[in-house]
């Protein structure tokens, strides 16, 4: 008996120690992940923007962001909202004398770059300086760097200025080798999201649309740089087409940068600009993390509010995740702001390639119901295509950037016949009992019949008619006219404005101002409230297991990680879809 109690006592002590250790570990993680730098901004400071990370619409609820694990890739991201807020705040902050910009390898879409660029241009109206320095500069990065007063490149660095390329990976050969046959159902020659599963190269229609929107994006890109650098559009085109910038000194020769320099030389230039003569005195750099606010509301707690609802990622039914738009979540947020008497107008901020047609329709309906009570403005970010456009088309007005990718109005369905893999290659056989002829429709263990294909194609055709009729209604356009642009073709914002798919150009701030105007509220008489409300640290921590798993996968997969993420999404492609090939890589 004494031995029994000794064992029980030891077990209890062990449990208590493990519990205490778990609590201690939790507080350590909380301290590492939740602690925000507390920096008092001193006089004569410089806001240091190190933007060599992925940029999302908002800073993620990531409790592991600051938890450094040796050998594990970082998951830190930058929130576009918080970045813009910091730049706007610095413009009017007398203690901030300028911005030091390092964004040579920024990871962001072109519409996001446009928003950052616009914020930096507005900052320059204050008369404060922007200096940019990088060891290397990608072509997208140079779009925002070109705004700077002085641009410095490492003498042995590199600068990319030779045009854009769009690349798509095709998996037809893979499926043939493993014995899996994708069954494709679509409407529209340009509905190219399914091409990677059925072809080994681009169709003529897809090549045409990609060429059109890629050239539209690049022409806008060159026009912006021409304005900032005082170089003609024609000269920039010549430099790019002939790849005249091969070495850092070439960039100086063609006036794309101010000069080559090492970091210490750039520091000397900044010190001189700030009037710092004491060589021992450090430049007071203020980081974005220390300076950016995490405000859920701007403009004070006034009676009237403009609600901004963020929707970013693939569209699916259910709750939103870090990488997806859940129709249940967005519908709930729309109902919340619709029934809030303090909310006078709504902005729906969309960054999505689309996804589930059903989930898209659920959110479209909530937009219409909200529009009956208050104005709803769609603000398109990098991509608002297919299901992303479906969300927007019911709004009162749609704003996009000239280089936003939108349209792709069309539907497709895809199912997989895996009988070749399972039976012919692996030797597995299946038998079944059915209560009706079509009870096993869509079962991946058997081949499809012509009758089954006709049934699914009819569903897809019906989905297309539903999508286009609602789009025509939302855009006040004859259905026949809308269908001319609705064969699944993708357009840039610049192209979309000409054909009536959007109402104008502008970023999130412009959409907020338009929403207030539609609600007849004057500037200064409203606050801006952001939704969904961010999770607390402990709420985010509860769902952090997938973050750790993702970091482990990224470490193991290395350069194959993006491909694995695409394969991981394959189950989401099944059923009727309204999406475009978001995996198109533009660089």
């Amino acid at each position: 008996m004494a031995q029994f109690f000794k064992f029980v006592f030891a077990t209890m002590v062990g449990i208590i120690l493990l519990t205490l250790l778990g609590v201690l570990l939790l507080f350590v993680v909380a301290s590492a992940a939740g602690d925000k730098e507390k920096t008092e901004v001193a006089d004569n400071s410089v806001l240091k923007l190190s933007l060599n990370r992925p940029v999302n619409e908002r800073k993620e609820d990531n409790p592991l962001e600051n938890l450094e694990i040796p050998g594990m890739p970082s998951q830190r991201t930058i929130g576009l909202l918080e970045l813009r807020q910091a730049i706007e705040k610095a413009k009017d902050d007398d203690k901030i004398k300028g911005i030091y910009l390092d964004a040579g390898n920024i990871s962001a879409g072109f519409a996001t770059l446009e928003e950052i660029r616009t914020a930096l241009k507005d900052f320059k109206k204050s008369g404060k300086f922007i200096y940019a320095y990088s060891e290397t500069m990608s072509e997208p990065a140079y779009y925002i760097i070109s705004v700077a007063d002085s641009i410095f490149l490492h003498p042995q660095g590199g600068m990319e200025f030779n045009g854009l390329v769009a690349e798509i990976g095709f998996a037809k050969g893979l499926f043939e080798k493993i014995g899996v046959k994708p069954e494709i159902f679509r409407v529209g020659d340009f509905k190219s999201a399914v091409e990677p599963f059925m072809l080994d190269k681009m169709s003529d229609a897809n090549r045409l649309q990609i060429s059109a929107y890629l050239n539209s994006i690049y022409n806008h890109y060159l026009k912006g740089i021409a304005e900032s650098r005082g170089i003609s559009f024609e000269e920039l085109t010549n430099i790019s087409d002939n790849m005249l910038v091969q070495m850092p000194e070439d960039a100086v020769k063609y006036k794309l940068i101010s000069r080559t320099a090492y970091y210490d030389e750039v520091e000397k230039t900044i010190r001189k600009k700030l009037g710092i003569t004491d060589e021992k005195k450090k430049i007071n750099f203020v980081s974005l993390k220390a300076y950016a606010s995490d405000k859920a509301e701007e403009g004070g707690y006034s009676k009237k509010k403009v609600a901004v609802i963020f929707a970013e990622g693939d569209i699916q039914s259910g709750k939103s995740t870090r990488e997806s738009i859940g129709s249940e979540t967005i519908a709930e947020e729309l109902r919340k702001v619709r029934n809030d008497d303090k909310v006078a107008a709504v902005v729906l901020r969309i960054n999505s390639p689309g996804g589930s047609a059903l989930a898209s329709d659920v959110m479209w309906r909530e937009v219409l119901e909200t529009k009956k009570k208050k104005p709803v403005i769609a603000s398109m970010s990098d991509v608002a295509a297919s299901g992303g456009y479906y969300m927007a088309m019911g709004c009162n007005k749609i704003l996009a950037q000239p280089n936003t990718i939108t349209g792709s109005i069309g539907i497709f369905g895809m199912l997989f016949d895996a009988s070749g893999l399972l039976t012919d290659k692996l030797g597995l056989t299946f038998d079944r009992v059915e209560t009706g002829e079509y009870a096993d429709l869509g079962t991946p263990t058997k081949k499809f019949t012509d009758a089954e294909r006709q049934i699914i194609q009819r569903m897809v055709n019906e989905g297309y008619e539903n999508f286009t009729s609602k789009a025509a209604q939302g855009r006040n356009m004859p259905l026949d006219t809308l269908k001319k642009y609705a064969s699944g073709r993708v357009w840039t914002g610049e192209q979309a404005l000409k054909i009536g798919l959007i109402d104008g150009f502008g970023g999130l701030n412009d959409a907020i101002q338009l929403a207030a105007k539609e609600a007849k509220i004057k500037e200064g008489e409203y606050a801006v409230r952001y939704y969904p409300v961010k999770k607390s640290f402990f709420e985010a921590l509860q769902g952090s297991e997938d973050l750790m798993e993702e970091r482990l996968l990224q470490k193991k997969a290395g350069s194959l990680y993006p491909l694995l993420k695409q394969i991981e999404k394959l189950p989401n492609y099944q059923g009727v879809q309204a999406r475009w090939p978001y995996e198109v890589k533009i660089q």
Side-chain angles (χ1 to χ4, degrees), residues 27 43 47 82 91 115 172 196 220 227 256 268 270 371 393 411-412 429 461 475 482 497 520 531 536 548 559 580 585:
F27 278 106
D43 290 330
L47 178 60
E82 290 78 12
K91 177 186 176 183
E115 296 245 8
K172 178 187 177 186
H220 181 76
E227 178 188 351
L256 295 182
K268 286 180 182 178
I270 297 175
K371 191 170 72 170
M393 66 190 187
I411 295 288
F412 74 86
T429 58
N461 291 346
R475 299 308 299 160
L482 187 284
L497 181 63
K520 297 180 172 55
Y531 299 89
S536 69
M548 188 60 72
S559 60
W580 88 292
K585 184 179 180 182

Side-chain angles (χ1 to χ4, degrees), residues 463-500:
Y464 176 76
E465 293 301 324
N466 178 65
F467 192 168
T468 52
S469 63
K470 289 175 178 177
Q473 174 190 345
R475 299 308 299 160
N476 294 315
M477 188 183 295
L479 182 58
D480 290 344
T481 303
L482 187 284
K483 283 187 174 182
K484 292 178 183 178
Y485 315 123
S487 57
R489 181 162 179 172
V490 173
W491 310 91
T492 63
E494 197 167 54
Q495 297 167 329
L497 181 63
K498 293 176 181 177
I499 60 178

